[in-house]
Amino acid sequence: MLSSDGAGARTALLAGALFAALFFSAGVQMAYLPVWFAARGLSETEIAIVLALPIAVRIFSTPAISFHADRTGQRTRVMHFLAIGALGAVVLLAVAEGFWAILGVMLLHASLWTAVMPLSEAFAMQGVRMHGLDYGRMRLWGSLAFIAAGLVGGWLLGQFGAGSVMPMLISAAVLLLLVTTVLVRTDKKGAADDPGDADGLSTDVSSAPNAGASTPGAVASPISGLSEAFHLLSRPAVLLLFLSSGLGQASHAVYYAFGTLHWQSAGIPAALIGVLWGIGVAAEVVLFAVSRRVIARVGALVLLIVGVSAGLLRWPLMAADLPFAALVAIQLLHGATFGATHLAAMHLIADMAGDRLSATAQGVHNTLAAGLFMAGSIMVAGLLYRAFDGAAYLGMAVVSAVALIFAVLLARTLSVASADGAAQPHSAGEGG
């Protein structure tokens, strides 16, 4: 059986590999999958439909699958089955012909692949709670893989054309399957060696008797039912966190959808646009690398407020016609608007949900932040950009302002709950 340190090191390695596989695939899908669709003969309208409808599917599938993983306590096995299905879906996509076949496979892929992300986040945060790991240093491998996808994918596309896209996606899916296979085998080995040892790597939380314990080394048990999840998700603090974090991420809609077009219209060369995107991701990587010290010094709640507040500075500056050097400095704020907001949300969700409902809470948060809120914000962004061009970024500043309001309300809610808890130490109330 692994020692506690050995188990922690393996958890960190596997979590990093999970994030790398997921975000390499995400980078390829975002940047190059539309090129592959076009090469398969899909029109612009059909490509838009194929990209948009999977978002609707994940709104329902991701929370349901995440809840099932918590309900059964089989998070690792659920991830493994999802990885098998995702690989199969990518292989089917490679041979799919025509709009309807491609759309059907993309819907299948979305229902499986996107659900792995919240389970991976829950796995990483369980490592933080059990082994004192640094979440940011695990998550940064996802950001680095995203950068690599852009660089490697661009080179391969230039050398071999659209036919290089599917091999990249299949490779990422194979890596994801390999990592989840190791997870399942490690869990089985840990259970065989000592099923009661809480220092093991197991994320199949059904083997642990200490349900919901928050002390280091404790592994959660399966949750009792839907009412337990609803009780958590209906708490004011949880709702405020989801609203603040989700809107903070949704404020990036103009940047994600029209950032390149806006820079092109400003006369910035394509190579320098690539540099700007890289600087933004590099800024979040730096924050992730020092995240433990940042969280220890300022706390997750302050970091959330800083993250959403940064949008009030970044987006108005993006609306102005500024020289390239100024844009470089502005791009560093991505470490705050995305990185700080995401990092804070992961820690706050882990604190509020604990181990028992971690995957469920992560699934709902992922659905809101990357699904409903982002999809709605992108729709609004399209209307704003068509009407106002770069001034559309001012609309994203408004979204950041609303996110800040919810963050301040969250701070007040947690403060009141903390005061009530201190005044009534024996109360069985739920707190924040």
Side-chain angles (χ1 to χ4, degrees):
M1 189 69 185
L2 289 170
S3 67
S4 179
D5 287 344
R10 181 168 293 186
T11 299
L13 177 63
L14 291 173
L18 280 171
F19 288 134
L22 287 167
F23 280 91
F24 187 86
S25 180
V28 173
Q29 291 181 58
M30 181 179 295
Y32 305 117
L33 197 52
V35 177
W36 186 85
F37 289 148
R40 302 293 277 191
L42 270 62
S43 68
E44 290 82 355
T45 301
E46 289 173 334
I47 291 174
I49 294 172
V50 167
L51 292 175
L53 283 185
I55 296 177
V57 170
R58 67 188 291 181
I59 290 172
F60 300 100
S61 63
T62 298
I65 293 172
S66 300
F67 171 74
H68 173 73
D70 277 341
R71 179 70 179 87
T72 60
Q74 303 293 315
R75 293 178 192 162
T76 294
R77 288 182 175 85
V78 170
M79 274 198 286
H80 185 57
F81 288 131
L82 290 172
I84 294 172
L87 174 58
V90 172
V91 172
L92 286 176
L93 184 62
V95 298
E97 295 283 352
F99 168 71
W100 291 107
I102 290 175
L103 175 62
V105 176
M106 283 295 292
L107 293 175
L108 173 64
H109 181 262
S111 67
L112 300 169
W113 180 81
T114 55
V116 182
M117 179 59 74
L119 295 177
S120 300
E121 299 282 14
F123 172 70
M125 291 309 301
Q126 185 178 345
V128 173
R129 295 167 68 90
M130 291 175 60
H131 305 295
L133 300 178
D134 187 337
Y135 167 81
R137 293 197 175 187
M138 295 181 280
R139 174 60 176 75
L140 67 81
W141 291 106
S143 298
L144 292 174
F146 191 88
I147 296 174
L151 296 175
V152 174
W155 182 83
L156 289 175
L157 193 67
Q159 295 292 316
F160 305 105
S164 62
V165 174
M166 279 302 138
M168 287 189 286
L169 286 180
I170 292 173
S171 297
V174 169
L175 175 59
L176 182 62
L177 179 57
L178 290 175
V179 176
T180 60
T181 300
V182 173
L183 281 173
V184 170
R185 290 182 177 178
T186 303
D187 282 335
K188 288 180 178 179
K189 182 178 184 300
D193 289 346
D194 185 358
D197 188 348
D199 286 333
L201 182 62
S202 177
T203 55
D204 279 347
V205 294
S206 59
S207 63
N210 298 321
S214 60
T215 54
V219 184
S221 68
I223 62 174
S224 58
L226 188 61
S227 61
E228 191 174 351
F230 181 79
H231 179 68
L232 168 72
L233 298 175
S234 63
R235 287 168 55 186
V238 175
L239 293 174
L240 289 170
L241 170 60
F242 286 177
L243 287 169
S244 179
S245 173
L247 289 172
Q249 299 298 355
S251 74
H252 293 74
V254 172
Y255 172 62
Y256 289 155
F258 303 104
T260 296
L261 292 175
H262 180 58
W263 286 329
Q264 285 177 335
S265 68
I268 298 176
L272 293 183
I273 290 176
V275 170
L276 290 174
W277 281 100
I279 289 172
V281 180
E284 75 184 55
V285 169
V286 171
L287 175 63
F288 289 153
V290 298
S291 63
R292 176 182 288 177
R293 280 176 285 174
V294 173
I295 290 290
R297 175 164 295 189
V298 305
L301 182 57
V302 172
L303 194 62
L304 176 65
I305 293 173
V306 169
V308 296
S309 297
L312 298 176
L313 175 62
R314 184 185 186 190
W315 305 132
L317 289 175
M318 291 286 280
D321 291 325
L322 298 175
F324 180 78
L327 292 175
V328 170
I330 294 170
Q331 280 300 90
L332 294 176
L333 288 172
H334 191 72
T337 58
F338 171 80
T341 302
H342 178 78
L343 184 63
M346 294 303 100
H347 281 271
L348 288 168
I349 289 172
D351 289 342
M352 293 179 184
D355 291 328
R356 289 167 60 82
L357 285 161
S358 179
T360 299
Q362 291 286 357
V364 174
H365 175 265
N366 181 272
T367 297
L368 291 175
L372 277 174
F373 289 171
M374 183 60 75
S377 190
I378 287 176
M379 291 177 63
V380 173
L383 297 174
L384 291 175
Y385 190 80
R386 184 172 61 182
F388 304 107
D389 197 47
Y393 279 112
L394 297 177
M396 299 299 99
V398 174
V399 177
S400 293
V402 177
L404 177 59
I405 292 172
F406 285 125
V408 172
L409 290 174
L410 172 62
R412 183 177 180 276
T413 300
L414 293 177
S415 177
V416 170
S418 177
D420 290 345
Q424 303 177 34
H426 302 296
S427 172
E430 69 183 65

